[in-house]
DNA sequence: CTGAAAGCGCTTACAG
DNA sequence: CTGAAAGCGCTTACAG
């Protein structure tokens, strides 16, 4: 693997000049000299050493993305958005599936620091874990100190996210849509209590209820983990409690998928017996049967904007905070409640 | 951010000694000295600079994974396996969604080379593109030359994959299973012709047909891209051709998902009117309705074994090539063909 | 067991 | 416009 020294030698110039040419530095080099260096680099198949350059600059063109789990379609989509934007700028993307495990998260941040990555994007929501957050704050300060950009894509303990999605408004809109179909008893699979994003969505549920003039009933709110199993467990909890409901809004699509599967097992028809709605609009939401009504969140966009913010931060001109819109998408899993007299359907 | 120089100073030793302690070098250092260095590192919150170390060693503890698309559940699962194994060894994982685009793939490999990553794992299958493969071969040679490990997880132009999955055997087993249910006319959505992995699976289809004593009919084989849209298009092509079939085997789950969706739109009942089977067993396969019969491939395992191979390669002791088993999983999307007299059902 | 020194491959004031 | 030289933070023969 040839180094800049060899390129310089072949071109008959100093390594300083060679460096200026190949690194596209903003520094005058005569056209013929430049051409000779470029030619030498080409014939030697020169690939600059990013580590040497990074050591100099205390920074490599790499962005780390901390996600809950890359196999969760939500995060895969966000990471893809980051990747696409990053590729355009010659940045590489490191994915870190922390499983929301403080130890794993800690370890990943440590490794990213040791790599002197130019930026870290926290794609997952913050956990309400004071000890972890304190340590994270230390690391984040440490990273910013040496010039790294830190960007959050969802609510967390350390401040406002730089880019995020309208969680509260999105869920509220879905609840209003369900109310608009005639539902009065709308249950909510709220996800874990310890996650800030889940709290925002729960707030959205309450807001939607208020907007629709419906009364809140805490027995209709079930907390479970944010996955398929949680959705199934939520359905069981709801049915076990004996409380009446005609629709289930879910804080994310994975919960809705789990709920759909469990209801099918139980022989409960969707949407005939109960309506189900998700949140996120991951790719499979359109492929389930019945297809899932949900709230579309521009996830890839979220990743792209996250990286855009990184670039602005690195350039010293941070963009103002940004909240991406969420939009209700009604598919087959929601309908007017069966028990309702036809006349009242559709009037909220 | 403190450096080893400061640690050495605080501990009152040379940087050589400090280095030997913090890098856990295999070199004798007296216990009390060691303790003082460790103590100093702790109080200074010392995080070693991986770039400086990597510059020395011409290698950083990072593995790049080239995938088709991280939002494709197949690849997300493989990457997760790599990540889990890598984390155990203190390696970070860079994901590169190349979209099977030669230019993107080229550019990613170049960036990975410039980063001096310790290894590159090609998770996606090879493309039959001579120009690209020639260039890839050059890069791969270049990487191996400076000590990087290169591992392939599926068939490609440059040789046998180090770790892979029994594509041919898996599809053949599924075809035999369908024949076992009584199907005689089994169509095959084969994916793209230019992908080596698709060719292996097509071979598996033919093998399964032969095993079951069924005749091949080329009109039953449809080539489309490896995604949902391809599955829908495949169904249309099959129906448009007017050829008779009672089952559709698909070369991957995404095709099957697309087929399922299109059949539902068309009012064709699955499995009553036609059986559908996939390949890979991605997470959603169990959640569709009807749930998808498929071939389970240990994807996370594939990623884990891929990284294990990387470590062995880096240690200079490559593991022998390995083919992971694939296993038929029958769910709701397959059944005996309706037209068949009950007496003959189940006998192949 | 300990340390002084060279060197990994770049970038960038500084001098010309 | 060009180049000599210092330095980024480590590791590792080499000498003691």
């Amino acid at each position: 693997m040839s180094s800049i020294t060899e390129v310089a030698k072949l071109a008959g110039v100093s390594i300083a000049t060679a460096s200026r040419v190949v690194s596209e530095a903003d520094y005058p080099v005569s056209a013929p000299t430049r051409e000779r260096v470029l030619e030498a680099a080409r014939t030697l198949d020169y690939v600059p050493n990013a580590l040497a350059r990074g050591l100099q600059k205390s920074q490599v063109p790499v962005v780390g993305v901390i996600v809950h789990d890359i196999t969760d379609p939500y995060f895969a989509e966000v990471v893809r958005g980051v990747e696409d934007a990053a590729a355009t700028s010659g940045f590489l993307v490191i994915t870190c599936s922390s499983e929301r495990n403080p130890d794993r998260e800690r370890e990943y941040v440590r490794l990213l620091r040791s790599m002197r990555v130019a930026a870290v994007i926290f794609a997952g929501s913050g956990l309400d874990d004071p000890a972890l957050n304190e340590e994270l704050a230390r690391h984040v300060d440490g990273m910013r100190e040496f010039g790294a950009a830190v960007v959050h894509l969802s609510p967390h303990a350390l401040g406002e996210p730089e880019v995020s999605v309208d969680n509260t408004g999105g869920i509220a809109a879905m609840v209003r849509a369900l109310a608009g179909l005639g539902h009065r008893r709308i249950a909510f699979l709220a996800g874990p209590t310890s996650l800030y994003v889940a709290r925002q969505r729960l707030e959205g549920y309450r807001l939607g209820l208020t907007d629709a003039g419906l009364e809140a009933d805490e027995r209709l709110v079930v907390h479970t983990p944010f996955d398929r199993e949680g959705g199934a467990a939520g359905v069981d909890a709801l049915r076990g409690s004996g409380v009446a409901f005609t629709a289930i809004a879910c804080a994310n699509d994975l919960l809705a998928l789990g709920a759909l599967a469990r209801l099918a097992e139980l022989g409960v028809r969707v949407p005939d017996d109960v309506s189900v709605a998700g949140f996120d609009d991951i790719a499979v939401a359109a492929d389930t049967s019945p297809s899932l009504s949900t709230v579309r969140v521009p996830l890839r966009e979220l990743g792209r904007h996250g990286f855009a913010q990184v670039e602005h931060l690195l350039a010293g001109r941070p963009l103002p905070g940004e909240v991406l819109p969420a939009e209700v998408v009604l598919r087959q899993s929601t309908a007017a409640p069966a028990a309702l007299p036809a006349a009242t359907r559709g009037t909220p």
Side-chain angles (χ1 to χ4, degrees), chain A:
Chain A
M1 207 113 174
S2 48
S3 72
I4 197 160
T5 311
E6 303 169 48
V7 172
K9 192 173 298 170
L10 181 59
V13 300
S14 70
I15 61 166
T17 299
S19 167
R20 283 168 191 139
V21 174
V22 299
S23 69
E24 291 168 2
D26 182 26
Y27 199 90
V29 174
S30 77
T33 306
R34 176 179 303 275
E35 199 35 67
R36 260 186 304 143
V37 172
L38 256 16
E39 176 61 27
R42 230 174 288 127
T43 71
L44 290 173
D45 189 22
Y46 171 67
V47 180
N49 186 322
L51 302 180
R53 177 159 228 263
L55 177 59
Q56 255 300 321
K57 303 238 167 198
S58 269
Q59 192 160 106
V60 273
V62 171
V63 44
V65 185
I66 312 264
V67 300
H68 163 48
D69 177 5
I70 190 65
T71 70
D72 179 331
Y74 177 98
F75 293 108
E77 202 66 39
V78 174
V79 165
R80 185 58 147 80
V82 174
E83 242 193 73
D84 288 353
T88 305
S89 302
F91 275 61
L92 253 11
V93 176
I94 291 178
T95 39
C96 309
S97 295
S98 73
E99 289 282 352
R100 299 198 182 99
N101 173 333
D103 290 332
R104 284 187 75 139
E105 188 149 338
R106 216 189 315 265
E107 181 56 17
Y108 271 127
V109 172
R110 231 189 57 85
L111 284 175
L112 292 173
R113 272 185 85 169
S114 84
M115 281 284 302
R116 303 307 194 257
V117 298
V120 175
I121 296 179
F122 289 88
S125 164
L127 215 52
D128 190 359
D129 175 334
L132 172 64
N133 286 327
E134 193 191 327
E135 189 176 338
L136 243 34
R138 269 217 344 267
H139 272 300
V140 166
D141 287 349
M143 303 201 68
R144 287 192 169 133
E145 202 178 300
F146 73 83
V150 179
V151 167
H152 291 260
L153 301 184
S154 48
H156 61 111
L158 312 175
E160 286 298 302
E162 285 74 11
V163 190
S164 65
V165 133
D166 188 6
N167 291 298
T168 308
I171 292 276
M174 177 55 90
V175 170
R176 287 197 304 272
L178 290 168
L181 288 169
H183 294 277
R184 293 283 167 276
R185 303 284 301 168
I186 303 171
F188 189 57
L189 302 193
T193 52
S194 55
L195 230 46
Y196 288 103
V197 72
R199 293 182 187 172
Q200 281 196 350
R201 294 183 188 172
L202 178 55
E203 196 183 315
Y205 166 70
R206 296 201 170 114
L207 179 62
L209 250 28
T210 306
D211 288 350
L214 298 179
E215 218 164 315
D217 180 344
E218 282 309 312
R219 294 172 305 168
L220 289 172
V221 175
V222 180
H223 290 281
T224 65
F226 246 161
D227 52 25
R228 290 179 169 81
E229 292 68 36
V235 165
D236 289 341
L238 240 24
R239 288 170 53 95
S241 75
V243 55
F245 59 92
T246 61
I248 306 177
C250 303
N252 78 4
D253 282 348
L254 257 24
L255 286 169
L257 255 31
L260 241 31
R262 185 77 183 114
L263 290 168
E265 275 174 32
L266 260 22
V268 178
R269 293 167 310 163
V270 176
D272 313 63
D273 300 330
V274 59
S275 285
V276 173
F279 191 93
D280 289 340
D281 197 25
I282 59 179
V284 293
D287 285 333
T288 54
S289 170
S291 57
L292 186 65
S293 295
T294 185
V295 179
R296 173 170 304 149
V297 170
L299 296 175
R300 205 171 283 211
E301 205 74 349
L302 185 59
R304 271 197 223 108
H305 287 220
F307 186 78
Q309 179 62 275
V310 161
E311 291 211 284
H312 281 260
L313 243 16
L314 291 176
R317 301 185 266 289
L319 257 19
E322 187 181 13
V323 179
L324 268 26
E327 174 200 2
V328 170
V329 180
L330 260 21
R331 298 202 181 93
Q332 301 166 346
S333 66
T334 48
L340 223 60
T344 69
R345 284 188 192 161
T347 41

